[in-house]
Amino acid sequence: MPGDRRLFWRQFRSQFHTTGAVAPSSRWLAKELCRYAPPPTAGAPPRRWLEAGPGSGSVTDRLIRRLGPADRLDLVEINAAFVATLQERLATAPHWRAVAPRVRVFHQPLEDFAPEAPYDAVVAGLPLNNFTVGEVAAVLQRFADLLTPGGSASYFEYLAVRWLKIRVGAKQARPRLIELDRFLRPTLSEVSFDRRRVWWNLPPAVVHHCRFPAGWRACMDGPPAPSDLT
């Protein structure tokens, strides 16, 4: 929606570190992010889903449409403007209002979020390429800790963005991005079981679907990895 695009642009300019996107996720990106949060099937047990960094709700809208009668969805968002938008949609949009009793919005950082039970799927719109390697390790560890055994975490990044920024981006950001790349590449080779490119998005994106072995801990001391990204 045009209003969502304007909101994203304003937040991108004023809150770049925690927003990182110039526009909401396209419906194709939203569909891919929700690949492992499918529509309900008859007789399936209730499911619990978490969306971290939902923004204005473009991916949330697809998750809401896939909620079964007993499923629950929690949204964790740090940006106050996005929180207000999500709450307004839950109060006014007809298909959001229909599931509002089973959707909760938490205005807080993901690292402070302490749910009462783990989740079957986590979907994230967090701008990890804006973070330090320690922050990214903490986010991935949080995903692992929040999931049920066999649960999946799905997040995206813009296609080749680190590759480009390392080579032609601001010089002061390059050491952080190189360190982040050296951490993420071997980590993703360990936990990512499915990776999909989404060309119909602004900019094009790659979605990482991850599962974490029992007792998995984020390790920042692995061997250096090459930086020939996606």
Side-chain angles (χ1 to χ4, degrees), residues 16-221:
F16 173 75
H17 182 70
T18 55
T19 302
V22 298
S25 300
S26 70
R27 66 177 181 270
W28 296 278
L29 179 54
K31 181 180 179 180
E32 183 55 50
L33 282 165
C34 298
R35 175 177 291 272
Y36 294 97
T41 56
R47 301 169 299 175
R48 287 173 49 83
W49 294 340
L50 169 67
E51 186 179 4
S56 61
S58 58
V59 178
T60 315
D61 190 75
R62 183 168 290 271
L63 288 171
I64 278 175
R65 295 175 189 272
R66 294 183 173 195
L67 283 178
D71 296 341
R72 301 294 298 260
L73 172 63
D74 288 342
L75 310 173
V76 177
E77 175 57 60
I78 196 172
N79 184 297
F82 288 144
V83 167
T85 297
L86 295 167
Q87 291 172 333
E88 180 182 7
R89 295 185 75 174
L90 283 167
T92 60
H95 62 290
W96 285 53
R97 286 178 59 189
V99 300
R102 294 182 285 117
V103 179
R104 301 182 296 180
V105 181
F106 297 87
H107 182 197
Q108 62 185 122
L110 181 64
E111 58 266 29
D112 295 341
F113 181 57
E116 67 279 4
Y119 296 92
D120 301 294
V122 173
V123 174
L126 302 172
L128 299 190
N129 281 310
N130 290 357
F131 298 171
T132 67
V133 66
E135 290 171 330
V136 171
V139 167
L140 294 180
Q141 186 63 60
R142 198 77 187 101
F143 289 168
D145 294 341
L146 287 169
L147 285 167
T148 59
S152 64
S154 303
Y155 83 93
F156 77 95
E157 59 181 324
Y158 295 129
L159 197 64
V161 66
R162 286 198 308 282
W163 186 92
L164 288 170
K165 287 185 174 182
I166 286 170
R167 284 154 178 78
V168 300
K171 288 185 177 180
Q172 63 269 27
R174 290 178 192 172
R176 176 186 61 81
L177 289 166
I178 290 171
E179 183 184 19
L180 178 58
D181 186 49
R182 288 175 174 169
F183 165 71
L184 268 178
R185 287 179 68 80
T187 299
L188 289 176
S189 70
E190 178 186 3
V191 302
S192 178
F193 68 94
D194 191 5
R195 186 177 73 166
R196 308 274 179 144
R197 288 182 174 87
V198 180
W199 298 105
W200 291 100
N201 192 70
L202 179 67
V206 57
V207 177
H208 301 280
H209 300 291
C210 304
R211 289 196 179 105
F212 302 88
W216 184 86
R217 308 303 298 176
C219 178
M220 293 183 288
D221 299 324

